[in-house]
Amino acid sequence: MDGKHMQIGEVAARTELSLRTIRHYEETGLVAPSARSQGGFRLYTETDVARLMVIRRMKPLGFTLDQMRELLDATDRLDGDDRLDGGTREELLARVRAYQRAAAEQVEKLRVQLARAEDFEATLRARSDDAAAP
């Protein structure tokens, strides 16, 4: 873990999340500041920023806070130092794979929506270009 600590403002700038959103994720237990400064300010590390980036990427794909918590728990345990027996490790990997498949399905749905939106925009552009022609 990187030893550098950041205050919430820097974390907000890095993750493009609002202070309110970061505090909400903190209240729901998804991320917790790693430390507090002498003045009582929340301090975050690169690991905390990485967690927030996972959350930020999951949210637009429609994952719930509980699902985010479950995936982060699985990845924390897989990345942790504690020795996992083969069965537990396989169960955690299966959970991560299930989220990967769910994310792939959502990406495909978004591709379809984007293609439709682009078609719609092109239709409107053609119409406005035709109307502007002398």
Side-chain angles (χ1 to χ4, degrees), residues 45-64:
T45 61
E46 290 297 335
T47 302
D48 301 324
V49 169
R51 286 177 77 84
L52 285 164
M53 293 303 290
V54 168
I55 295 163
R56 197 188 95 180
R57 291 175 182 129
M58 289 181 81
K59 190 164 176 40
L61 297 178
F63 290 104
T64 66

Side-chain angles (χ1 to χ4, degrees), residues 14 18 24 54 91 112 118:
R14 294 256 318 265
S18 69
H24 174 66
V54 168
E91 179 196 323
V112 170
E118 288 171 339

Side-chain angles (χ1 to χ4, degrees), residues 44-108:
Y44 299 84
T45 61
E46 290 297 335
T47 302
D48 301 324
V49 169
R51 286 177 77 84
L52 285 164
M53 293 303 290
V54 168
I55 295 163
R56 197 188 95 180
R57 291 175 182 129
M58 289 181 81
K59 190 164 176 40
L61 297 178
F63 290 104
T64 66
L65 293 178
D66 285 340
Q67 289 172 317
M68 293 174 192
R69 192 175 293 109
E70 183 184 49
L71 177 62
L72 287 166
D73 175 62
T75 56
D76 286 349
R77 290 177 66 196
L78 285 166
D79 294 343
D81 295 334
D82 51 331
R83 297 269 175 235
L84 299 170
D85 65 66
T88 303
R89 183 170 191 72
E90 199 45 53
E91 179 196 323
L92 293 170
L93 285 170
R95 199 177 300 171
V96 172
R97 285 186 204 107
Y99 278 105
Q100 181 272 320
R101 286 191 301 275
E105 286 174 22
Q106 287 303 318
V107 166
E108 196 47 48

